[in-house]
């Protein structure tokens, strides 16, 4: 599943190709994505120039002259920049045809992706208005995490994966961030001290920042879910390393279940 670093990598991958170009046409082959693509969207966007490509949480924001396309890659979606003559394959659900002759092609076998349009501020869109801060933003820091975690009995890892607390911290990045911060995933969120919270905020920024950097170096005109996600290129310390020695202290990494998800930690390094 594309995580935040993969979405950011996709954004960077398409940004230079599409910015400044006009949308000649939107060609929709399958409207039934996670939410149906609105009827008439083709007419809405045709002729509009793309001003910038942004991202909020795991949504790509294609800012046009009169509004914004809000695109989610879902579980299995990918976006590629291709020549418009490229034959259509199975699961190629829509193309954004640019005046340059290139297309932005969306492929998504599981159809959990989505495409919305808003003529207003995308931050106020129903999909985005209640999402938490970006992990790399300045507002996400130790003081914020400390304040937000007061009174929260939930396990620290689940707290970190809650998109209202912070966006984009999936299972892998939560496990790795908690290792880096030397905190047990099963601790109550409310048990964080101010120093713990500061260490955790720094760890999240470091782990996600690194994933974005390594993901961003591999792409040219092919971007998306299977375009070498950042976590495949990053040295993992605990994730899926149960029974193997900790890279820091050689203690065996443990695996426990939190909800339906597996959690990995070092019983020596993480307290
Ligand atoms: Zn260890």
């Amino acid at each position: 599943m594309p995580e935040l670093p993969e979405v950011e990598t996709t954004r960077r991958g398409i940004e230079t190709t599409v910015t400044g170009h006009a949308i000649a046409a939107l060609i929709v082959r399958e409207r039934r994505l996670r939410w149906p693509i609105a009827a008439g969207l083709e007419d809405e966007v045709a002729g509009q120039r793309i001003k910038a490509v942004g991202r909020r949480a795991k949504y790509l924001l294609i800012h046009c002259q009169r509004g914004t396309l809000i695109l989610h890659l879902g579980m299995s979606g990918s976006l590629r920049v291709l020549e418009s003559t490229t034959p259509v394959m199975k699961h190629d659900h829509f193309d954004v045809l640019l005046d340059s002759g290139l297309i932005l092609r969306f492929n998504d076998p599981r159809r959990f992706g989505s495409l919305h349009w808003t003529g207003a501020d995308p931050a106020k869109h129903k999909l985005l208005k209640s999402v938490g801060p970006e992990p790399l933003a300045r507002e996400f820091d130790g003081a914020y995490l400390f304040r937000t975690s007061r009174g929260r009995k939930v396990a620290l890892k689940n707290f970190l994966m809650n998109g209202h607390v912070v966006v984009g911290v999936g299972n892998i990045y939560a496990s790795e961030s908690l290792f880096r911060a030397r905190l047990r995933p099963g601790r109550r969120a409310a048990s964080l001290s101010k120093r713990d919270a500061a260490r955790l905020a720094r760890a999240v920024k470091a782990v996600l920042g690194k994933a974005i950097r390594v993901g961003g170096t591999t792409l040219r005109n092919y971007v998306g879910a299977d375009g070498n996600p950042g976590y495949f290129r990053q040295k993992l310390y605990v994730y899926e390393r149960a029974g193997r020695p900790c890279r820091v202290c050689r203690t065996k990494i443990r695996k426990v279940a939190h909800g339906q998800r597996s959690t990995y930690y070092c019983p020596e390094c993480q307290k």
Side-chain angles (χ1 to χ4, degrees), residues 246 249 266 269:
C246 171
C249 74
C266 171
C269 292

Side-chain angles (χ1 to χ4, degrees), residues 158 256-263:
N158 295 350
V256 290
H258 280 150
Q260 305 104 317
R261 316 208 67 168
S262 294
T263 293

Side-chain angles (χ1 to χ4, degrees), residues 4-6 8-9 12 136 173 180 202-219 228-231 233-234:
L4 187 142
E6 288 72 56
E8 176 60 21
T9 298
R12 293 176 185 189
L136 300 183
Y173 298 119
R180 195 181 172 101
R202 282 199 302 273
V204 168
K205 286 176 193 288
V207 168
L208 282 168
K210 174 120 191 275
I212 289 169
R213 281 197 303 281
V214 295
T217 60
T218 57
L219 298 175
N228 285 328
Y231 53 81
R233 302 177 49 80
Q234 188 160 202

Side-chain angles (χ1 to χ4, degrees), residues 179 246 248-251 266 268-269:
F179 176 79
C246 171
V248 173
C249 74
R250 313 306 294 167
T251 303
C266 171
E268 190 59 36
C269 292

